[in-house]
Amino acid sequence: MADPKSRPSEFSRVATKVLDRVNASNALSGDTKFKKYTQQVDKCLATFDSIHEWADFIAFLTKLLKTLQSFMQFKEIPQKLWVGKRLAQCMNPALPTGVHQRALDVYSHILAVIGPEGLKRDLQIWSPGLFPFLAYSATSVRPALLNIYDTHYLALKGGLHPVTKAFILALLPGLEEENGEFFDKVMSILDKVSETVTQAFFLQNVWLVLLTSPAARGTALAYLSRRFPKLNDQADVTSIVGRDVGLMVRAFAASLEDDDNL
């Protein structure tokens, strides 16, 4: 039975974090320079509605980046929900590579400014535009994207746990071509994710990918064919492949029943 004395201290820790965020937010809302920052971001966001062609996207992103770079003393992004939404729209596969590259420049700047704690807090804001991108990205912009994954997402360490499955799915398209230019880099990032969240937790998420994402089974199996750990009779299997061994069995069964992977 859990020690009831530990609950107040845990509650106090969480409550303190929440209060710190509220106090920081209140302090920024009363800062005249941050108000000006917010106004400039609002002004930039308003131009998105008048975009008619791809060159307008680049102009919008260039203006947004310039605005953000003008207020680097702040570690918070004003109107971040709207900024995140517009950046995700700029990653649309129908847009040319030049737009994607400029959007990645903005993402890189934002993630550098907010740091690991800011990204951990706002994963749901910045990840939707980045995670699906590798699947359809041009070769020329893949280094920038993989650098974002390597530099900013791996820095989250334990903070990666909530998005481990989504992150694996984001990376697996990079394994579609065994002799591809970025195959080794993607394998390296996946290995680092495994080390960061623990191998057992990582593999539990790989089993979920095999079970629930048929389109990713081929690349997930490609990873496992190179990294599946050796097991022996004396080993504690659950400490290697995860506590739910049945999940692993169901995952492999689903893969064997999938004609596309046979």
Side-chain angles (χ1 to χ4, degrees), residues 109-163:
H109 176 80
I110 288 173
L111 298 185
V113 166
I114 65 175
E117 285 302 315
L119 177 56
K120 188 186 302 184
R121 183 181 65 242
D122 294 328
L123 275 167
Q124 75 281 7
I125 295 176
W126 309 117
S127 302
L130 291 168
F131 279 7
F133 185 59
L134 187 61
Y136 56 82
S137 61
T139 302
S140 61
V141 296
R142 286 192 169 192
L145 177 66
L146 294 176
N147 184 62
I148 287 174
Y149 290 161
D150 203 354
T151 303
H152 300 292
Y153 279 85
L154 290 178
L156 296 179
K157 301 187 182 300
L160 265 179
H161 277 82
V163 295

Side-chain angles (χ1 to χ4, degrees), residues 15-135:
T16 300
K17 269 192 171 183
V18 172
L19 285 173
D20 287 345
R21 289 179 188 173
V22 171
N23 291 334
S25 178
N26 290 338
L28 285 176
S29 64
D31 189 309
T32 55
K33 289 184 178 179
F34 191 78
K35 285 182 179 179
K36 183 179 178 181
Y37 186 16
T38 303
Q39 290 169 356
Q40 292 297 316
V41 170
D42 280 335
K43 186 177 178 181
C44 183
L45 289 170
T47 66
F48 192 88
D49 295 328
S50 60
I51 288 177
H52 299 293
E53 55 187 31
W54 67 265
D56 296 332
F57 281 96
I58 292 182
F60 163 76
L61 291 165
T62 300
K63 183 177 180 181
L64 177 60
L65 181 58
K66 185 177 180 180
T67 300
L68 297 174
Q69 290 172 334
S70 298
F71 294 89
M72 289 186 63
Q73 68 268 41
F74 298 110
K75 303 305 178 185
E76 183 70 23
I77 306 298
Q79 305 290 21
K80 56 189 175 184
L81 289 173
W82 278 105
V83 173
K85 180 178 179 179
R86 295 312 189 200
L87 282 177
Q89 288 175 291
C90 291
M91 303 297 278
N92 189 305
L95 293 171
T97 302
V99 176
H100 296 155
Q101 180 62 64
R102 180 54 74 181
L104 289 172
D105 291 342
V106 180
Y107 272 117
S108 294
H109 176 80
I110 288 173
L111 298 185
V113 166
I114 65 175
E117 285 302 315
L119 177 56
K120 188 186 302 184
R121 183 181 65 242
D122 294 328
L123 275 167
Q124 75 281 7
I125 295 176
W126 309 117
S127 302
L130 291 168
F131 279 7
F133 185 59
L134 187 61

